[in-house]
Amino acid sequence: MTAIAIDGPAGAGKSTIARKAAQKLGFLYVDTGALYRAVGLFMLQQGVDPGDAHTVIPLLKSVSVSLEYREGEQRVILCGEDVSDKIRTDDVSLAASRVSPIPEVRSFLFSLQQDIAKANNVVMDGRDIGTVVLPDAQVKIFLTASAEERARRRYFQLIHSGVKANYGDVLQDLKQRDYNDTHRAVSPLKRADDAVLMDTTKDSLGQSVARLIRIVEQKTGGKIS
Ligand code: DC
């Protein structure tokens, strides 16, 4: 099996680029952030503080989370319910960012991610895929862009979806998230030594996807199994 690990900060375009690249390669796209979001949603549904490790840890034994694929699209199943849409709210984003530093939450989701990569050719994105989850991935990419460009993209995304936004606030939030992601004790966001750095600040989506595919071809010598 071939695994392509894509890590990087929030707003670098990881999921969009990874999804398109997976389509082109005929690989399964695995968005691991969705798993943290599902755990975050579960804690909100239980009415507990997602950042309170003492309450969250014992509840993990009641969480059943899995990924299914319908027409190539990843669906997240939480305790039998498809929560793929519910996990995209701001509340759940926040809950995911609060549960994700808890080591027991990370180890709870660890084997699920590894098992998917054992059974499929994957493009997997997250924060610790190349460093922790799939350290032997054939291709590792650290995808980034300047904070200003990432904030600009997020700002226009919000405006286009009819949400009022202020560029300065978006930039400030993003910098805070970068700080949290890179400074947490367990599995902090960092570039794996053998990851290719891909800065998409000046690239369009199409250019980024093409660059990624070229890196994959170079690294695998065009041989994908
Ligand atoms: O990529 P995302 O915004 O959907 O991720 C949701 C949260 O989960 C975010 O706070 C980072 C965290 N996360 C993580 O800690 N490790 C991963 N492999 C993926 C996401």
Side-chain angles (χ1 to χ4, degrees):
M1 289 298 161
T2 301
I4 297 161
I6 303 187
D7 293 300
K14 285 189 305 287
S15 56
T16 316
I17 296 168
R19 182 183 290 109
K20 290 233 183 264
Q23 260 168 15
K24 283 197 192 271
L25 293 163
F27 282 23
L28 203 62
Y29 165 57
V30 186
D31 161 16
T32 62
L35 299 171
Y36 291 90
R37 287 171 180 269
V39 174
L41 172 64
F42 182 88
M43 299 306 156
L44 292 181
Q45 287 172 338
Q46 299 302 307
V48 304
D49 172 1
D52 177 4
H54 293 296
T55 323
V56 166
I57 295 165
L59 282 172
L60 287 174
K61 62 178 180 309
S62 315
V63 178
S64 103
V65 57
S66 60
L67 297 179
E68 287 182 4
Y69 288 84
R70 292 199 205 118
E71 288 157 23
E73 279 296 303
Q74 172 182 296
R75 310 300 298 177
V76 190
I77 313 299
L78 174 66
C79 302
E81 186 196 350
D82 184 337
V83 294
S84 312
D85 298 323
K86 278 193 189 163
I87 57 170
R88 296 295 158 197
T89 65
D90 281 346
D91 285 352
V92 177
S93 295
L94 186 63
S97 76
R98 312 241 9 246
V99 294
S100 63
I102 302 173
E104 286 79 358
V105 169
R106 305 202 72 81
S107 52
F108 173 72
L109 295 173
F110 183 73
S111 41
L112 171 60
Q113 298 169 81
Q114 284 201 331
D115 289 347
I116 297 172
K118 273 188 203 134
N120 304 276
N121 289 327
V122 292
V123 177
M124 189 176 280
D125 83 19
R127 304 293 191 284
D128 61 341
I129 308 305
T131 48
V132 177
V133 178
L134 303 176
D136 298 326
Q138 287 82 346
V139 186
K140 297 183 189 178
I141 313 256
F142 193 83
L143 199 74
T144 189
S146 71
E148 289 71 21
E149 173 60 16
R150 288 184 284 127
R152 195 188 66 81
R153 291 176 191 168
R154 177 75 185 139
Y155 170 76
F156 283 112
Q157 213 176 37
L158 289 169
I159 297 288
H160 284 136
S161 56
V163 179
K164 257 195 169 169
N166 172 286
Y167 173 79
D169 292 345
V170 174
L171 180 61
Q172 177 105 27
D173 275 6
L174 194 127
K175 286 186 169 168
Q176 183 63 49
R177 272 209 278 168
D178 283 357
Y179 184 88
N180 293 345
D181 278 354
T182 50
H183 287 79
R184 69 174 176 223
V186 182
S187 292
L189 171 67
K190 68 169 199 277
R191 179 182 165 192
D193 293 336
D194 50 352
V196 177
L197 179 69
M198 212 181 119
D199 185 323
T200 70
T201 305
K202 297 196 168 72
D203 289 348
S204 68
L205 174 60
Q207 286 168 328
S208 302
V209 174
R211 262 175 83 190
L212 198 142
I213 301 274
R214 268 201 306 278
I215 296 169
V216 171
E217 285 170 351
Q218 277 164 8
K219 290 271 171 190
T220 59
K223 292 186 295 292
I224 289 168
S225 60

